[in-house]
Amino acid sequence: RLSPLGVAVFFFLGLGVLYHLYSGFLAGRFFFFVLSEPAAGAPGGAVDLRFFFAVSVLAAARGGEEVRRVREGNVLNAKAKGKTREGAEEQLTSGDLLSNRRMFYLLKSAFPAVQINSEERVDTADQETVSWDRSIPEEIKQKIQPKEVPAESVTVWIDPLDATQEYTEDLRQYVTTMVCVAVNGKPVIGVIHKPFSAYTAWAMVDGGSNVKARSSYNEKTPRIIVSRSHAGRVEQVARQTFGNKTVIITAGGAGYKVLALLDVADKNQEEADIYIHVTYIKKWDICAGNAVLRALGGHMTTLTGEEITYTGSDGNEGGLIASINMNHKALIEKLPDLEKTSHK
């Protein structure tokens, strides 16, 4: 017959062994649960915009590496992906796709729960694992302070290859890769990278920047930069408004046109006073430039002066006008006829 005392001794010995084996594990899990912060970008958590800034700059550069490699290797594999509203053929190249994959998965690995909108479709079968060591370059540390915002308030817009048509024509100066971070629909972080000159402009609203506005502008006879595809639609009205001495500059790529308004250390960058676009345009084309201009005190609005919101649909219907260090409201009032053409 078993002794009650013996059973009790063996029971407590068993408890002791189990405690010895699992106490460290359970304690570690408890303290991890209590003390750990929510994962970056986790639903209900917060993201630090300085970290987001650093990875956005890195993503634009990594995408640019793919864009340059494909172009220099002359392996574009260009094909038509559809037509614009104006009937122009849109091109898709290997540069677009490879840049998109690199940029998207780098941002997604760093902030997995944040919404990312891209010009190109992400193929989950072609998923790439991209690691980021969360290091922040010294220049960004010095100019950008930590700032946390709710993860659910953040929307990212990336353009893996802006000016694809010019890219296929080997007009390299117009090509950029761009990342924009919007908070509650307002563009806050903007990164515009030029792959073929290794120049990157970046800025954060109420933060810092590595670029500045030019010191002089001409409101009476401005230099107006417009898309190559619809220069004629702007030129007549612009000259009627500002005079025959108004200079019309045609260029490719929304990123390039925004940089034209700034003091850019790139010999292949033209200069302009106003950027006008009179047709429908996608938000990933303009979000980064909008953020940079806002950070420097400039403006980018629809042709009627409405702020562009970076949530919801991926398109902006009302055209745009962008300026810096100028009377933006007065410019809009001078160009009433352009808004009517934006919906044609």
Side-chain angles (χ1 to χ4, degrees), residues 75-101:
V75 287
L76 274 66
N77 298 318
K79 61 181 180 181
K81 69 173 183 179
K83 291 184 180 293
T84 66
R85 290 189 178 187
E86 298 169 299
E89 200 77 62
E90 282 194 287
Q91 297 290 310
L92 178 67
T93 70
S94 295
D96 295 88
L97 296 175
L98 293 173
S99 174
N100 183 66
R101 185 176 69 178

Side-chain angles (χ1 to χ4, degrees), residues 45 109-110 149 187 236-237 249 267 276 287 313 320:
S109 66
V149 297
Q236 183 178 1
V237 175
I249 302 169
K267 64 181 181 179
I276 294 176
C287 186
S313 69
L320 70 85

Side-chain angles (χ1 to χ4, degrees), residues 34-225:
V34 171
L35 299 177
S36 65
E37 298 179 354
V47 295
D48 186 338
L49 290 181
R50 184 161 73 165
F51 279 111
F52 226 128
F53 199 111
V55 75
S56 296
V57 172
L58 181 60
R62 292 274 181 88
E65 292 172 2
E66 297 297 323
V67 168
R68 187 176 63 252
R69 182 177 63 82
V70 169
R71 179 67 266 185
E72 291 177 348
N74 198 28
V75 287
L76 274 66
N77 298 318
K79 61 181 180 181
K81 69 173 183 179
K83 291 184 180 293
T84 66
R85 290 189 178 187
E86 298 169 299
E89 200 77 62
E90 282 194 287
Q91 297 290 310
L92 178 67
T93 70
S94 295
D96 295 88
L97 296 175
L98 293 173
S99 174
N100 183 66
R101 185 176 69 178
R102 181 64 62 88
M103 293 173 69
F104 179 88
Y105 284 115
L106 174 57
L107 290 161
K108 200 66 176 175
S109 66
F111 298 95
V114 169
Q115 179 182 342
I116 301 175
N117 301 309
S118 175
E119 179 173 7
E120 307 305 336
R121 185 176 64 86
V122 178
D123 189 350
T124 54
D126 199 25
Q127 184 170 347
E128 180 175 351
T129 301
V130 184
S131 61
W132 178 49
D133 60 6
R134 297 181 67 81
S135 62
I136 301 176
E138 282 302 318
E139 185 180 15
I140 293 177
K141 281 184 179 179
Q142 292 173 6
K143 294 186 177 182
I144 307 296
Q145 297 301 312
K147 182 179 180 180
E148 288 195 346
V149 297
E152 60 268 22
S153 70
V154 176
T155 307
V156 182
W157 298 84
I158 62 175
D159 193 340
L161 200 168
D162 190 38
T164 300
Q165 181 61 46
E166 287 72 22
Y167 182 66
T168 63
E169 298 173 21
D170 209 14
L171 299 173
R172 304 183 183 195
Q173 70 271 24
Y174 298 129
V175 175
T176 62
T177 58
M178 296 187 285
V179 180
C180 177
V181 178
V183 179
N184 294 321
K186 295 182 178 180
V188 172
I189 293 172
V191 182
I192 305 175
H193 175 69
K194 300 184 78 173
F196 297 103
S197 60
Y199 174 80
T200 305
W202 49 254
M204 177 174 165
V205 176
D206 297 327
S209 69
N210 71 340
V211 66
K212 58 184 179 180
R214 288 186 291 107
S215 58
S216 62
Y217 293 85
N218 190 336
E219 292 194 46
K220 294 183 178 179
T221 56
R223 290 166 293 182
I224 300 176
I225 193 164

